[in-house]
Amino acid sequence: MKYAEVQNCIGGAFVSPDAPTLDVYNPSSGEILSRVPLSGGREVDAAVTAARAAFPAWSATPIRERVQVLYRYKTLLERHIDELAALVTEENGKIANEARAEVLKSAELTEFACSLPQIATGEVLEVSRGVECRVERYPVGVVAAITPFNFPNMVPNWSIPNAIALGNCMILKPSEVVPLSARRIVELLAEAGLPPGVLQVVHGGRDVVEAICDHPGIAAVSFVGSTKIAQVVYRRATGNLKRCLALGGAKNHLIVMPDADREMAATNIVASMSGCAGQRCMAASVMVAVSATEHIIARMAEVARKMVPGKDLGPVISAAAKERITRYIDEAEAAGATVLVDGRKTVVTGKEGGYYIGPTILDHVTPDMAIAQEEVFGPVLVIIRAKSVEDAIRIENASPYGNAASVFTESGGVARYVMEHASAGMVGVNVGVPVPREPFSFGGWNDSRFGVGDITGRGSIEFWTQAKKMTTKWNKEAGVNWMS
Ligand code: NAD
C-alpha cells in the first residue's frame, strides 16, 4: 500500500476514526493504493462542532481578508501542480495532461473566488427622500459539499473556494473511490493560512452523506454525482429544511450538420467522448448525425482508432465500470447497432491489471436502445441518424437529462436554432465540451440538476449566502411620505 490509511480532518487535525475501511485502487494497475475509512454520524457531528466553533471568527473576518488565503492557495496549487496532478492520475486514472488541466481549473476556480470582494458587493439605493435600502450578503453558516470520483481535485474546488470566501465553514465529503486528493487540498489551504475548523473532511460513503443531510447544524449542501443519488440527497436535505443544490448525471447530445467543418467536428467530438475516458459529465455521449455526414463519421473513426490507450486515454474507474460499459456495447450490438470502432478488447502492455477500454463508436443506434438513453460514463459514443435539425432537436429534447448539448455547423441560423431549442443548461456551437469558464456559472437543466442556481461562478453567490435587506433613515429633515 503506497499511502497510509486516509484520515479525516476535523478542526485542523488529521484523525483516524474508529470505522471500517474500504480499499482504494489505482485504476491503471488494479493495485491497492490506500484504505479509506467509512465514517458515520459521529464523525459528521464532530466536524459540525469544529465548523461551528470556527464560524463566528471566520464569518466576521472581512471578505477582503478572507480571500488573501485564497490568493496564496492559488499560488500553491500552481506551485504543486505536478505533484497534485500525479495524485489525480494515481487515484482516478486520467492521463497526465488531463490531470494537469484539472488542477489548472482548480486554480481558475480559486481565482474567481479571489474576485468575490469585487463582485459580491451588495446594493444600496435611496428609495425615497432620506430613506435608503441596502442589501448585504451573509454566509449561511456551516455547509457541506459531497463530491464524485471523476474530478478528485476540481469538483471539491467548485464549492470550497467560493463557500469559504463568502464566510461559510465547510465539511467536504469526497468520493470514497478517490479520497487522496482531499488531504492535499486541506494541507495547502492550511499552508495558505486558512484557520483550523473552516474546512473539515469526513471520508466515507452513504452513512456520511445521510448524516450530512440529517444534521440540524448544517444549513446547505452541494452535491455532485449521479442523478439517482442527486435525487436522494436533494429530497433528504430539503426534507430536513436545508438548501440543496444537487448536480446529477448527463447524456449529452452533439448535433452534427453536413456543412460542419470536417476536421474541427471530428477531432472535437472524439476528444469530447474519450477525454478522461468518457468519465466527464460534459462528455459527448450521443451524436445526432443529420443527413449526409458520412465524411465526418469516417474521419472520427480514423481519429479514434489512432488513439493509444494507456497513453492518450486512461482507464475507467473500476473493474465494475468496465464490465458495465462493455455490457452496454454488447447489448447495443446484439440489438442491431454497428460497432464502428471497438475498444472492448483493449489491453495495455505492462498495465494488464488496469481497467482499460478503448474509444468505441457505435453507428445506427436507435433512440429506444438503453445505450442511447442511459448514462454510460465511458469512452463510448453512439450515433443516431436524423433527417433534419428539427428531428435532431426532438431526439435531444426526449432525454430526461439536460447538462450539455452542442451543434457543429457553419450556419449561424442552424446554430441559433439549436441554442434556442436544446433542453440543456450548457450549449455549445462547434465546441465539444461547452463548459462555461469563470465568471460564468456551471450547471445543467432537468435531471442533471436539482435545486435553484448554479454551482460555480456568479450563480453560486446566491447559494452560499443569504441576503439581508436593510432600510435606514437618518435624515430627520426629509419629507414624510408613506414610506418614511
Ligand atoms: P455517485 O452518485 O455514485 O457518488 C457521488 C457521491 O455520492 C459520492 O461522494 C458517494 O460517496 C455518494 N453516494 C454514493 N452512493 C450513495 C448513496 N446510496 N447514498 C448517499 N450517498 C451516496 O457518482 P460517482 O460515480 O462518484 O460520479 C459519477 C457521476 O457524477 C456521473 O453520473 C456524472 O455524470 C456525475 N457528475 C455530474 C457532474 C455535474 O456537474 N452534473 C459533475 C461530475 C460528475
Side-chain angles (χ1 to χ4, degrees), residues 126-139:
E126 187 183 43
V127 289
S128 60
R129 269 171 215 279
V131 179
E132 199 178 86
C133 275
R134 69 167 64 217
V135 177
E136 286 179 16
R137 299 220 152 256
Y138 284 75

Side-chain angles (χ1 to χ4, degrees), residues 31 113 155 169 200 221 246 324-325 356 363 474:
E31 285 160 6
V155 173
C169 291
Q200 283 39 248
V221 180
R324 187 196 67 235
I325 296 161
Y356 286 93
D363 200 356
W474 290 102

Side-chain angles (χ1 to χ4, degrees), residues 25-377:
Y25 293 92
N26 179 338
S28 304
S29 64
E31 285 160 6
I32 294 175
L33 278 175
S34 180
R35 271 196 299 269
V36 61
L38 296 175
S39 314
R42 213 170 14 166
E43 288 74 27
V44 170
D45 197 44
V48 173
T49 303
R52 266 185 170 158
F55 182 71
W58 183 245
S59 58
T61 303
I63 186 167
R64 290 172 69 94
E65 274 179 47
R66 288 196 298 252
V67 301
Q68 297 311 311
V69 173
L70 296 168
Y71 278 106
R72 293 189 288 269
Y73 173 59
K74 176 179 179 282
T75 307
L76 289 170
L77 285 173
E78 288 162 346
R79 193 178 301 155
H80 290 271
I81 185 163
D82 292 339
E83 168 226 331
L84 296 170
L87 194 55
V88 168
T89 295
E90 267 185 314
E91 62 177 338
N92 169 278
K94 64 182 69 173
I95 58 173
N97 63 5
E98 293 168 346
R100 279 182 76 83
E102 167 166 357
V103 180
L104 284 173
K105 183 68 199 177
S106 295
E108 183 172 291
L109 291 154
T110 308
E111 183 180 294
F112 174 77
C114 291
S115 71
L116 281 168
Q118 273 60 253
I119 297 174
T121 50
E123 295 164 41
V124 61
L125 181 74
E126 187 183 43
V127 289
S128 60
R129 269 171 215 279
V131 179
E132 199 178 86
C133 275
R134 69 167 64 217
V135 177
E136 286 179 16
R137 299 220 152 256
Y138 284 75
V140 285
V142 175
V143 300
I146 301 161
T147 56
F149 80 79
N150 62 334
F151 285 92
N153 192 297
M154 181 191 78
V155 173
N157 280 301
W158 275 0
S159 288
I160 297 168
N162 290 353
I164 65 178
L166 291 164
N168 301 286
C169 291
M170 176 167 262
I171 297 157
L172 172 69
K173 203 302 279 176
S175 164
E176 65 275 39
V177 184
V178 293
L180 302 173
S181 291
R183 181 175 184 121
R184 293 299 291 134
I185 291 172
V186 169
E187 285 172 343
L188 294 180
L189 277 164
E191 192 179 334
L194 192 73
V198 177
L199 176 64
Q200 283 39 248
V201 181
V202 180
H203 288 283
R206 180 179 178 160
D207 288 351
V208 177
V209 172
E210 291 182 352
I212 285 173
C213 292
D214 294 347
H215 201 295
I218 297 175
V221 180
S222 75
F223 171 90
V224 182
S226 61
T227 290
K228 184 174 156 218
I229 309 301
Q231 289 172 336
V232 167
V233 168
Y234 186 77
R235 287 204 177 95
R236 192 151 177 158
T238 56
N240 282 308
L241 307 178
K242 299 179 198 313
R243 59 174 75 178
C244 181
L245 181 60
L247 271 58
K251 191 78 190 168
N252 305 315
H253 288 61
L254 268 53
I255 297 173
V256 180
M257 302 302 291
D259 70 340
D261 181 272
R262 187 182 80 130
E263 201 55 26
M264 179 162 71
T267 52
N268 266 271
I269 295 167
V270 173
S272 174
M273 58 80 81
S274 63
C276 300
Q279 299 172 123
R280 288 187 289 190
C281 66
M282 296 295 280
S285 184
V286 177
M287 167 176 164
V288 189
V290 178
S291 69
T293 42
E294 299 303 336
H295 58 300
I296 299 171
I297 294 170
R299 180 68 187 133
M300 284 166 49
E302 274 173 26
V303 174
R305 286 192 194 110
K306 278 198 192 124
M307 294 187 77
V308 181
K311 178 172 162 276
D312 305 320
L313 180 84
V316 296
I317 192 66
S318 62
K322 184 175 168 169
E323 260 178 58
R324 187 196 67 235
I325 296 161
T326 307
R327 201 167 47 242
Y328 271 115
I329 303 168
D330 292 347
E331 284 173 10
E333 188 179 33
T338 312
V339 185
L340 205 58
V341 182
D342 192 347
R344 282 174 290 187
K345 300 245 160 25
T346 298
V347 176
V348 175
T349 312
K351 295 178 179 172
E352 287 79 5
Y355 316 126
Y356 286 93
I357 183 156
T360 300
I361 302 178
L362 293 106
D363 200 356
H364 303 293
V365 169
T366 51
D368 57 319
M369 292 181 190
I371 201 167
Q373 294 178 1
E374 295 165 19
E375 184 176 40
V376 177
F377 224 51

